[in-house]
Amino acid sequence: MPAAIMLDAQTSFVTDPVSPCAGEDFTVSWQEINVGDEPSGEYQDTFDLNDQGSGSSDALICDSLEPGQSVTRSLTFNLPAGNYTMTLVIKAGVPLTLGNVIIDECL
């Protein structure tokens, strides 16, 4: 079976901090695994945060994964307050909706 990169079902994604503040950097991390029996080669992930048409999208060039290898990927964002839908596209595959992150105004 050729390389097949998937979101690792054992760990999905996390934001750091868990409750991001508007206008401050926060990091989104997710874990991927190659469930195929061939190396993946270099590929691209795209992580999108969307709040009804506003938000941010960022791409990440990913190093090759060997069969059975898993890795944690991460990107840093800085956004205004809002309720953002998180979507991840791994290796030009089907978009995966990961849920929402609420970014609040913090004191």
Side-chain angles (χ1 to χ4, degrees), residues 21-105:
C21 294
E24 295 183 13
D25 288 350
F26 68 98
T27 302
V28 179
S29 300
W30 63 97
Q31 190 159 353
E32 299 173 352
I33 187 168
N34 181 352
V35 296
D37 55 16
E38 296 176 12
S40 67
E42 188 177 84
Y43 61 96
Q44 177 177 299
D45 285 352
T46 303
F47 201 98
D48 183 62
L49 290 145
N50 188 326
D51 181 24
Q52 299 176 9
S54 65
S56 184
S57 181
D58 206 352
L60 179 67
I61 301 300
C62 301
D63 294 333
S64 181
L65 285 179
E66 294 296 318
Q69 182 182 11
S70 66
V71 66
T72 300
R73 309 282 191 203
S74 61
L75 289 167
T76 300
F77 295 90
N78 186 315
L79 296 167
N83 184 349
Y84 294 86
T85 301
M86 297 182 290
T87 305
L88 174 63
V89 176
I90 298 173
K91 198 176 178 182
V94 176
L96 305 167
T97 300
L98 302 177
N100 290 49
V101 61
I102 296 172
I103 299 174
D104 286 320
E105 296 289 347

